[in-house]
Amino acid sequence: MDPAIIARQNGGEISDGKPKIPEGFVFDPTKYEQDTGNLAVYVCGFDDVRVLPYKVQALGDEDVRIQMKAIGICGSDIHYLKHLRNSRVALKEPMVLGHESAGVIIETGKLVKNLVVGDRVALEPGIPCYRCSFCKQGSNNLCREVKFFGSPPVHGSLAQQVVHPASLCHKLPDKVSLEEGAMCEPLSVGVHACRRASIQAGAHVLILGAGPIGLLTMLVARAFGAVRVVVTDIDEKRLSTAKEFGADSTVLVSSDMNELNEEAQAMQIAMEALIDVTFDCVGTTKTMTTALNITRSGGKVCLVGMLHDKMTLPLTAAAAREVDVLGIFRHRNTYKLCIDLLQSKRIDIQKLITHRFGFSQDEVIKGFKVSAAGGSAIKVMFSL
């Protein structure tokens, strides 16, 4: 899709057909010349990603210092790189990217008891305030003061070393690799979505969008007991991948709103039964309209993707059929289950990692270019 269209949909301003640099955003290379003994990957401008010195925060009593080993690229990282914003959140200064991460502990704070130097851990990226009503009721992903890796103004985890609360570092069993540990973050989105939609044994599930999150949601739905899963996408290669990973059938769709009814009929035929739950892993007017129209009466629609900031939807008709509309934001209380699913091999995500790159300037540029291009790239991983 044209960058200007994406920026407009996500609240960005347009100048001469291009996304406008957020007000006040300046990259001053002289600020990053001091050798800190640590390097990180910054977004410094449109399509400008650089490996630069990064001064990590001081180690607190309840923190651990981690030597990062595996970090995946998320769609939000690409949005910041291509548009200097993600939805309505704009960068004010260069920022370290990354939030899908795992590494090895190299130092612990004096009050840390549950982890030791040498432990392999997956990092849960959001640090909630633990004081607000959302945190107290267990909905820490809705905390308004959460500090989330790679979400302005918080720097991300695509660095050689980071410091993080020990309570948010989850020890990995021997049978779970560091790459799988890094994948716990996107896998958590699928787990949270399936929990919100109450996926149970025997469910018939439709997934709109065969990107990384759509594929992971499919795998989780299957692990939760879904007996039939149909996946749609506008890309035949993505649909082939979905079939390879266990989709019962797939439907190729277009971005043309005029083809809505014909495509809905094709999806219904592919399902071979009424659709209990539809996951919209794209987040456009067309995909949500499709989801609301095709899900059975009394069923559920879960909005996972958020490509369009605003939509015009047939909610009245859906409400009359008692179709529940659910939303999710990131995830909460998912890492233990994710690690259990990976350790038991109920979910195998190794094949989702399609490309691997090192940590040099050239490798970093190549990695982001491959991820942004899509196509055969599902999950791009950096190895440090």
Side-chain angles (χ1 to χ4, degrees):
M1 185 179 291
D2 183 87
I5 296 175
I6 294 176
R8 187 178 294 108
Q9 291 170 346
N10 291 339
E13 298 181 62
I14 309 300
S15 177
D16 298 326
K18 297 181 180 180
K20 184 179 179 181
I21 295 176
E23 184 177 354
F25 183 91
V26 176
F27 169 55
D28 178 4
T30 63
K31 291 179 60 177
Y32 305 90
E33 291 178 351
Q34 183 179 0
D35 183 8
T36 64
N38 188 34
L39 296 173
V41 175
Y42 291 79
V43 55
C44 298
F46 292 127
D47 262 335
D48 185 359
V49 61
R50 306 189 191 194
V51 179
L52 298 168
Y54 174 49
K55 185 177 181 180
V56 71
Q57 68 190 69
L59 183 73
D61 290 345
E62 298 181 350
D63 296 333
V64 291
R65 188 183 306 276
I66 305 120
Q67 185 74 40
M68 303 308 297
K69 294 295 184 180
I71 301 100
I73 299 178
C74 173
S76 64
D77 298 320
I78 299 300
H79 271 284
Y80 285 124
L81 180 61
K82 295 292 184 180
H83 316 294
L84 302 185
R85 65 177 71 241
N86 185 34
S87 189
R88 295 190 177 275
V89 180
L91 294 180
K92 300 299 183 183
E93 61 182 356
M95 181 185 74
V96 177
L97 296 168
H99 57 266
E100 303 175 359
S101 47
V104 177
I105 293 176
I106 57 175
E107 186 180 1
T108 63
K110 62 183 181 181
L111 297 181
V112 176
K113 305 297 182 183
N114 61 318
L115 296 169
V116 299
V117 172
D119 281 346
R120 301 156 56 255
V121 293
L123 283 69
E124 192 171 346
I127 306 175
C129 74
Y130 297 111
R131 300 183 303 274
C132 69
S133 60
F134 293 113
C135 287
K136 289 178 179 179
Q137 68 185 15
S139 300
N140 51 12
N141 61 316
L142 302 180
C143 173
R144 293 171 181 167
E145 297 181 30
V146 66
K147 298 177 181 177
F148 197 90
F149 274 145
S151 181
V154 182
H155 286 302
S157 57
L158 188 43
Q160 291 174 319
Q161 294 182 16
V162 300
V163 167
H164 205 53
S167 61
L168 297 173
C169 294
H170 302 267
K171 186 175 179 179
L172 296 174
D174 292 340
K175 293 183 179 180
V176 177
S177 70
L178 285 161
E179 287 188 341
E180 289 175 312
M183 289 289 285
C184 281
E185 200 284 329
L187 182 60
S188 286
V189 176
V191 167
H192 186 42
C194 287
R195 280 176 169 173
R196 286 275 287 156
S198 302
I199 296 297
Q200 298 177 356
H204 288 249
V205 172
L206 174 64
I207 294 178
L208 308 179
I213 294 300
L215 294 173
L216 286 165
T217 301
M218 177 187 73
L219 294 176
V220 176
R222 189 71 84 185
F224 277 25
V227 295
R228 186 164 184 81
V229 181
V230 172
V231 180
T232 76
D233 202 276
I234 61 174
D235 188 317
E236 289 185 349
K237 291 182 180 179
R238 292 284 175 131
L239 292 178
S240 295
T241 301
K243 279 290 259 187
E244 179 184 348
F245 280 90
D248 293 292
S249 57
T250 60
V251 178
L252 181 67
V253 297
S254 76
S255 57
D256 186 352
M257 278 292 294
N258 294 324
E259 297 184 21
L260 194 84
N261 293 333
E262 292 80 358
E263 290 173 353
Q265 291 174 5
M267 293 176 208
Q268 188 64 70
I269 292 170
M271 287 302 300
E272 298 180 358
L274 294 176
I275 300 166
D276 298 307
V277 179
T278 299
F279 292 99
D280 181 359
C281 297
V282 182
T284 66
T285 295
K286 178 182 179 180
T287 52
M288 274 300 288
T289 298
T290 299
L292 291 169
N293 287 339
I294 198 171
T295 303
R296 69 168 175 82
S297 296
K300 296 181 175 69
V301 171
C302 185
L303 177 58
V304 182
M306 298 182 182
L307 183 58
H308 283 182
D309 186 59
K310 296 180 180 179
M311 305 181 196
T312 300
L313 302 172
L315 287 177
T316 302
R321 295 190 298 108
E322 296 190 358
V323 176
D324 293 339
V325 180
L326 306 167
I328 72 161
F329 183 63
R330 294 173 178 161
H331 44 77
R332 60 174 177 262
N333 308 317
T334 54
Y335 268 63
K336 183 180 184 302
L337 177 57
C338 287
I339 292 171
D340 287 345
L341 289 170
L342 294 172
Q343 183 179 27
S344 65
K345 302 302 180 185
R346 290 174 64 194
I347 289 182
D348 182 2
I349 59 173
Q350 285 290 353
K351 290 183 179 180
L352 285 174
I353 305 171
T354 54
H355 295 77
R356 295 172 174 84
F357 294 89
F359 197 66
S360 68
Q361 178 68 45
D362 288 344
E363 287 281 287
V364 165
I365 291 174
K366 289 178 183 177
F368 276 95
K369 184 176 181 179
V370 167
S371 182
S376 62
I378 301 174
K379 181 57 63 177
V380 174
M381 189 76 65
F382 290 111
S383 299
L384 282 69

